[in-house]
Amino acid sequence: MPKIPRSFVAALSFTALSGLSGPAFTQEVTGTLGAPGSTTTIDGKQLPPAPPAFGGVIKQKASDSQPWWAPRVVPPKGAPNVLLIMTDDQGFGAPSTFGGVIPTPAMDRIANAGLRFTNFHSTSLCSPTRAALITGRNHHSVGSGVVGEIATGFPGYDSIIPIEKGTIGTILRENGYATSWFGKNHNTPSFQSSQAGPFNQWPNGMGFEYFYGFVGGDASQWQPNLYRNTTAIYPFEGNPGWNLETAMADEAIQHMKQLKELAPEKPFFVYYVPGATHAPHHPTQEWVKKISDMHLFDEGWNKVRETIFANQKKLGIMPENAQLTPWPSTLPAWDSLGLEEKKLFIKQADVYGAYLAYADNEIGRVIQAVEDLGELDNTLIIYIGGDNGASAEGNLDGTPNEFTSFNGVNVPVKDQFLWYPFWGSERTFPHFAAGWAWAMDTPFKWVKQVPSHFGGTSQGVAMSWPGHIADAGGIRRQFHHVIDIVPTILEATGIPAPDAINGIEQKPIEGVSMAYAWDRANADAPSARKTQYFEMLGNRAIYHEGWVAATTPVTTPWAMSTAAPPDVITGYNWELYNVQDDPTQFDDLAAKMPDKLKELQDLFYSEAAKYDVLPLDNSTLARWNTPRPSLTAGRKEFSYSGELSGVPAGAAPSILNKSFTVTAEVEIPEGGAEGMIVTEGGRFGGYGLFLSKGEFGVGSGKVVFLYNFLDLKRTMWEGPELEAGKHTIVFDYKSDGPELGKGGTGVLSVDGKQVATNSLEHGTPVTFPEDEAFDVGLDTRTGVALVEYRYDSPFRFTGKIDKLTFKLQ
């Protein structure tokens, strides 16, 4: 046997604490060191670990030498698979597991086999919660004080997860896990989301070896901006009825099956985060019918809220002394609505409920696949109901197209009935009315975006691990936060938090493990989390040992306003709650206990300074348009040729709120041509310059520029059919002014001759659909035309684009 280096022997006998409140562990070696099949655990302090010195013998001839293989790194013995599930914009009171009227049998299954955590909290917005979840640090600590779309140039708000705060994906991968991510990725900065990279802030660069999902805040489930690793894919093309919820479950199931067939001893970490129930609400028609036939929402949001609260009391989700918080005066009571409004709003809720039930069903398929693989008893399953409270971003009346809300446009109820027959289909991008969001957050006040009250932050969590969580169906009321999931996983796997990753010293993980609560004897133990701050868009709160101090929101999430916000420090009132005795934040004690309030306010600012929360900023619309890193920053001219597809908005020339000129130098073959020359956006907003498809060979090849204003109005400039040869097409647009959403006049010219002049009453003020793309020579996902000049994607240009130029004023 060859001599083994002493340094490696020392490493193999190293004993270290896991960095958590758990027992010490000793490295374990299997097989004969140097043999091809040997394995070892590592101390986990340096990731990846330094390779051991060669332990064989090298002579002049191979026959006189002794080969030696470094042992393969594996997790500690008994380390479980981990299936981490989180839905989107769900609301605490939506699922049946936490008293809701919407059936969620998959979540029920995990809760009944393990535990329900009823006092678990998020950050109140999507990407901040997700950054906190995968790092175990507060959202400002990892650059995610707000969603990435409104990032600003401060450490707590730049949307960049620092390299000194590595993810759970990296930690588990380097300790021998197979790591994967399915679903929503809202953690890649918008200015790094194009084909030009860099890719270190994509899932593959954050420790997840396999990624199948979409990039951004939301996506159509019928035609999503879908990626496999960093490559855009379009499996829905020519595949009617395809839906991402089902496709994602299929992909995850196949991935786990493949892993266990190829490497049965290798545990997996699957991060499964569907887009449901974030808008657009896109269930299949089968699920819409199932939920509609149950008539869950026919009595309206006030009655549904009462039903949910009664269920929560019955299930023990809420203690007997809990009180249902009052309905706000800023939202209409159901009885005040007309018949037309009620009909529309019930449809909106049926589609939302169908979306949640459908998503839970597909999650159930993934869980069942774990059991079918024989891995259920060896899998820690954590199922988090939403990344924040239910969303009120559909405004008071809801909308058939979420991007009307994002652009500050309300769609009247009577107009929404144009989309009523196919609500939830690929022909809509729908969001329900704000009243439903408040109801889905029962029994709390407020909704998504609001971190000061539990309606914005409370998430029901179901957690199971057979043989380790033995209190089947138990309820835990300890206060916890999304940053506590990483420490819980590390304790379960016996893997320590590293001191360094890729040579970069790591900052401490800021969460605490929840594993102490698994023991039935600790069902009523004090919470291991004593203090937690909350902040989003200027609203803020602090939890400390059963007390919460919180600002009263000064704006409502369902009303986009251009009014100047109040002073971020002095313009807010504060409330005070003893949530140990008053878990719904019903009884405001601020006037009675000013000293206690002051104590907690001081604690908030202390925590804010510690975790990069400062400077506080309560602006909203201004942050959409703030300068940030970009592949297009400062550029006024852009040139392309041939084909280019799938370019996100952050890497494309933006024509919003400005004058611009598009010049296309094209070559038309004999017999004519058709197809898209350039487009950004799609069915729910955007523009396209193309040669028409025509019908039955008639009208093909006409030059068209089409502007789609949020699927509400389409304006067209029409030119002649192009004969064979070279042509120059110019669309010149002059904006009426620099203000957001101003209209303007466009002139379409062909070969130096003006062929059409038309005006826009309004331009799109803030954003085209973020799940669409800028495409040259084709149109991916959905088309901008609807009836007139309709075409099917990808609508490739059948001529040749010699040069395409954008000039921005």
Side-chain angles (χ1 to χ4, degrees):
M1 188 65 191
K3 183 178 180 181
I4 301 172
R6 294 182 62 186
S7 60
F8 191 56
V9 174
L12 293 175
S13 62
F14 180 82
T15 301
L17 293 176
S18 68
L20 304 164
S21 55
F25 73 93
T26 303
Q27 284 192 305
E28 304 156 354
V29 176
T30 62
T32 302
L33 281 175
S38 64
T39 68
T40 183
T41 57
I42 58 174
D43 66 22
K45 287 184 171 293
Q46 309 292 325
L47 298 179
F54 178 70
V57 176
I58 297 177
K59 301 290 188 181
Q60 285 187 323
K61 295 193 303 181
S63 58
D64 296 333
S65 304
Q66 176 69 48
W68 192 91
W69 295 89
R72 181 168 51 88
V73 173
V74 296
K77 186 177 181 180
N81 305 304
V82 180
L83 174 58
L84 176 58
I85 303 161
M86 185 171 68
T87 55
D88 199 345
D89 283 11
Q90 182 172 300
F92 179 82
S96 58
T97 319
F98 289 87
V101 298
I102 303 167
T104 51
M107 193 179 207
D108 292 346
R109 175 183 183 179
I110 300 307
N112 293 336
L115 300 172
R116 286 174 175 85
F117 286 87
T118 65
N119 198 4
F120 181 92
H121 297 268
S122 67
T123 72
S124 82
L125 265 182
C126 300
S127 51
T129 290
R130 293 160 189 273
L133 176 63
I134 63 174
T135 63
R137 281 102 170 176
N138 286 297
H139 56 303
H140 294 86
S141 292
V142 286
S144 301
V146 287
V147 290
E149 290 84 348
I150 55 175
T152 58
F154 298 100
Y157 298 91
D158 61 12
S159 76
I160 299 171
I161 296 176
I163 57 177
E164 69 270 20
K165 296 172 183 176
T167 72
I168 184 64
T170 298
I171 296 170
L172 294 187
R173 181 194 64 192
E174 297 298 341
N175 278 274
Y177 270 76
T179 59
S180 55
W181 179 332
F182 297 89
K184 177 173 174 174
N185 163 28
H186 202 186
N187 296 118
T188 298
S190 59
F191 48 86
Q192 295 184 6
S193 62
S194 79
Q195 297 91 327
F199 297 106
N200 60 303
Q201 296 270 315
W202 282 63
N204 301 103
M206 293 190 287
F208 295 87
E209 296 166 311
Y210 186 76
F211 171 57
Y212 179 91
F214 62 92
V215 178
D218 60 15
S220 166
Q221 301 300 289
W222 301 109
Q223 298 105 354
N225 55 327
L226 187 63
Y227 291 83
R228 178 173 281 114
N229 298 316
T230 59
T231 300
I233 57 174
Y234 308 94
F236 44 82
E237 287 185 357
N239 192 1
W242 185 98
N243 190 290
L244 180 56
E245 293 299 316
T246 293
M248 188 171 70
D250 290 345
E251 190 82 8
I253 290 167
Q254 175 59 27
H255 183 73
M256 293 187 299
K257 175 178 177 292
Q258 176 178 281
L259 286 173
K260 287 303 176 182
E261 289 177 348
L262 295 176
E265 299 302 317
K266 187 173 188 175
F268 59 71
F269 171 50
V270 171
Y271 179 43
Y272 193 88
V273 278
T277 54
H278 195 295
H281 301 156
H282 275 167
T284 63
Q285 187 56 43
E286 172 193 6
W287 280 97
V288 174
K289 186 177 188 309
K290 282 182 182 180
I291 296 301
S292 297
D293 288 349
M294 296 174 72
H295 300 285
L296 301 175
F297 305 103
D298 288 7
E299 294 186 274
W301 44 56
N302 296 105
K303 182 62 177 177
V304 165
R305 196 164 181 257
E306 293 171 5
T307 300
I308 294 172
F309 189 55
N311 291 343
Q312 290 171 338
K313 288 285 189 78
K314 189 183 305 180
L315 290 169
I317 303 300
M318 284 290 123
E320 279 304 313
N321 67 318
Q323 300 182 74
L324 181 61
T325 52
W327 187 258
S329 60
T330 47
L331 291 175
W334 187 259
D335 290 343
S336 72
L337 301 174
L339 292 178
E340 193 175 57
E341 292 170 308
K342 290 180 178 179
K343 180 180 179 180
L344 174 66
F345 296 164
I346 290 169
K347 180 72 164 185
Q348 294 172 354
D350 282 345
V351 170
Y352 166 84
Y355 193 26
L356 176 54
Y358 172 39
D360 180 81
N361 183 77
E362 301 309 293
I363 290 168
R365 291 178 54 226
V366 174
I367 294 169
Q368 184 59 45
V370 174
E371 181 175 23
D372 293 344
L373 289 169
E375 295 291 330
L376 191 62
D377 287 349
N378 188 40
T379 302
L380 169 63
I381 300 178
I382 303 172
Y383 188 158
I384 305 172
D387 56 356
N388 41 243
S391 171
E393 293 161 348
N395 300 335
L396 289 178
D397 295 330
T399 175
N401 175 8
E402 181 187 30
F403 290 97
T404 62
S405 298
F406 290 167
N407 284 286
V409 176
N410 292 319
V411 184
V413 167
K414 63 181 178 61
D415 292 345
Q416 293 192 47
F417 274 93
L418 293 170
W419 291 270
Y420 182 92
F422 35 85
W423 201 275
S425 75
E426 74 281 358
R427 298 163 74 178
T428 64
F429 209 94
H431 198 302
F432 60 18
W436 289 122
W438 200 285
M440 292 305 110
D441 288 330
T442 302
F444 304 113
K445 304 174 189 175
W446 293 99
V447 293
K448 175 185 177 180
Q449 296 188 18
V450 180
S452 53
H453 293 72
F454 290 170
T457 68
S458 282
Q459 318 301 147
V461 174
M463 194 179 299
S464 73
W465 184 14
H468 298 266
I469 303 177
D471 189 13
I475 290 176
R476 298 294 185 267
R477 304 190 192 281
Q478 289 90 350
F479 183 96
H480 278 286
H481 190 267
V482 67
I483 63 175
D484 299 334
I485 294 297
V486 163
T488 304
I489 292 172
L490 293 181
E491 181 163 352
T493 59
I495 291 172
D499 294 338
I501 295 177
N502 294 327
I504 304 298
E505 184 178 351
Q506 296 294 289
K507 298 293 185 181
I509 286 176
E510 293 158 9
V512 298
S513 174
M514 300 165 66
Y516 70 95
W518 292 349
D519 194 323
R520 185 182 288 114
N522 290 334
D524 299 316
S527 174
R529 171 154 297 290
K530 305 301 182 185
T531 304
Q532 179 61 47
Y533 82 88
F534 296 86
E535 192 278 338
M536 193 68 63
L537 302 170
N539 275 314
R540 49 206 182 273
I542 185 78
Y543 167 88
H544 182 65
E545 296 184 344
W547 289 85
V548 169
T551 57
T552 306
V554 297
T555 58
T556 56
W558 51 86
M560 180 177 278
S561 173
T562 57
D567 184 87
V568 72
I569 302 297
T570 63
Y572 290 75
N573 293 321
W574 283 75
E575 303 167 14
L576 177 68
Y577 299 98
N578 177 356
V579 293
Q580 189 71 29
D581 299 329
D582 175 23
T584 66
Q585 295 176 300
F586 183 91
D587 186 14
D588 179 9
L589 303 174
K592 297 177 182 178
M593 304 181 68
D595 292 343
K596 185 67 176 179
L597 177 61
K598 179 63 165 58
E599 172 194 332
L600 291 175
Q601 288 173 317
D602 291 344
L603 181 58
F604 170 82
Y605 288 109
S606 173
E607 295 290 288
K610 184 188 304 182
Y611 294 116
D612 283 337
V613 182
L614 304 178
L616 295 176
D617 184 351
N618 61 356
S619 64
T620 52
L621 196 58
R623 284 205 253 185
W624 277 101
N625 299 306
T626 191
R628 59 182 61 90
S630 168
L631 296 179
T632 64
R635 294 176 63 187
K636 299 296 184 183
E637 187 166 327
F638 300 77
S639 293
Y640 310 93
S641 63
E643 280 192 5
L644 177 67
S645 66
V647 178
S654 173
I655 68 168
L656 298 179
N657 305 302
K658 61 175 67 74
S659 300
F660 63 91
T661 302
V662 182
T663 303
E665 299 172 29
V666 300
E667 190 171 343
I668 306 301
E670 291 294 333
E674 65 178 27
M676 184 60 66
I677 297 171
V678 63
T679 182
E680 184 179 357
R683 182 182 187 119
F684 303 103
Y687 68 87
L689 174 62
F690 56 91
L691 300 191
S692 63
K693 182 178 180 61
E695 294 290 340
F696 307 109
V698 178
S700 177
K702 292 175 63 176
V703 179
V704 179
F705 187 90
L706 187 153
Y707 191 94
N708 175 5
F709 180 67
L710 300 171
D711 200 27
L712 301 176
K713 182 178 181 180
R714 287 168 171 81
T715 304
M716 285 162 280
W717 291 257
E718 300 159 305
E721 296 181 19
L722 296 187
E723 298 178 349
K726 291 181 178 290
H727 298 274
T728 299
I729 304 166
V730 178
F731 182 76
D732 185 63
Y733 180 81
K734 294 293 186 290
S735 173
D736 288 341
E739 295 89 353
L740 294 178
K742 276 286 188 179
T745 300
V747 177
L748 179 65
S749 302
V750 177
D751 297 331
K753 180 181 178 181
Q754 292 185 10
V755 296
T757 300
N758 209 341
S759 296
L760 290 178
E761 183 181 1
H762 301 290
T764 305
V766 178
T767 179
F768 291 138
E770 64 176 323
D771 68 328
E772 290 281 357
F774 174 80
D775 300 313
V776 176
L778 73 166
D779 188 358
T780 57
R781 303 185 186 110
T782 67
V784 291
L786 181 60
V787 178
E788 195 169 3
Y789 296 117
R790 184 186 178 278
Y791 56 86
D792 294 321
S793 295
F795 197 37
R796 277 189 158 82
F797 184 59
T798 56
K800 180 184 178 184
I801 300 174
D802 292 326
K803 188 175 183 181
L804 175 71
T805 305
F806 277 72
K807 291 185 178 180
L808 308 180
Q809 300 297 314

